[in-house]
Amino acid sequence: MASVWLTVIAIIIIVVVVMKISSEKQAWALRIVMILFIFIMLTIGYIYAKNSPRIDGISEVVDFGKTYFVWLGNAFGNVKETTGYLGKQDWSVEGNKTKN
């Protein structure tokens, strides 16, 4: 499992170095792409390390892709649920007073 994380970190470092060398005119777009790239690499690395799939052919790659997108959908669903729950709470000063 450590080799998976070392590979993910090595890929991220290589991309960061290449992007730093590129033009500074595209700084904002570059930052957005870097954040998305790091997010995708970390989440794919997490799913790969968690499930330890054998990827020997196209069908295994497709199965891994399905697993990743199901996990990603569930993660965003959980964020949506949590955000909705927090939005429904009483955040006023009166609602936060303790009763004596």
Side-chain angles (χ1 to χ4, degrees), residues 10-24 26 30 34 37:
I11 291 171
I12 290 172
I13 290 172
I14 290 169
V15 170
V16 167
V17 169
V18 169
M19 296 304 235
K20 286 290 182 185
I21 295 171
S22 70
S23 174
E24 289 297 321
Q26 305 162 356
L30 182 63
M34 286 301 299
F37 175 76

Side-chain angles (χ1 to χ4, degrees), residues 14-84:
I14 290 169
V15 170
V16 167
V17 169
V18 169
M19 296 304 235
K20 286 290 182 185
I21 295 171
S22 70
S23 174
E24 289 297 321
K25 293 178 184 177
Q26 305 162 356
W28 286 103
L30 182 63
R31 286 187 184 114
I32 292 170
V33 168
M34 286 301 299
I35 290 169
L36 286 173
F37 175 76
I38 291 171
F39 173 77
I40 290 169
M41 287 302 298
L42 290 176
T43 56
I44 286 176
Y46 174 77
I47 296 301
Y48 187 84
K50 193 84 167 162
N51 295 326
S52 301
R54 287 190 63 180
I55 301 179
D56 294 331
I58 297 297
S59 63
E60 287 89 2
V61 171
V62 170
D63 289 342
F64 180 74
K66 287 178 184 177
T67 303
Y68 175 72
F69 285 113
V70 165
W71 177 85
L72 194 62
N74 287 339
F76 282 120
N78 289 342
V79 168
K80 185 177 87 170
E81 263 183 54
T82 303
T83 305

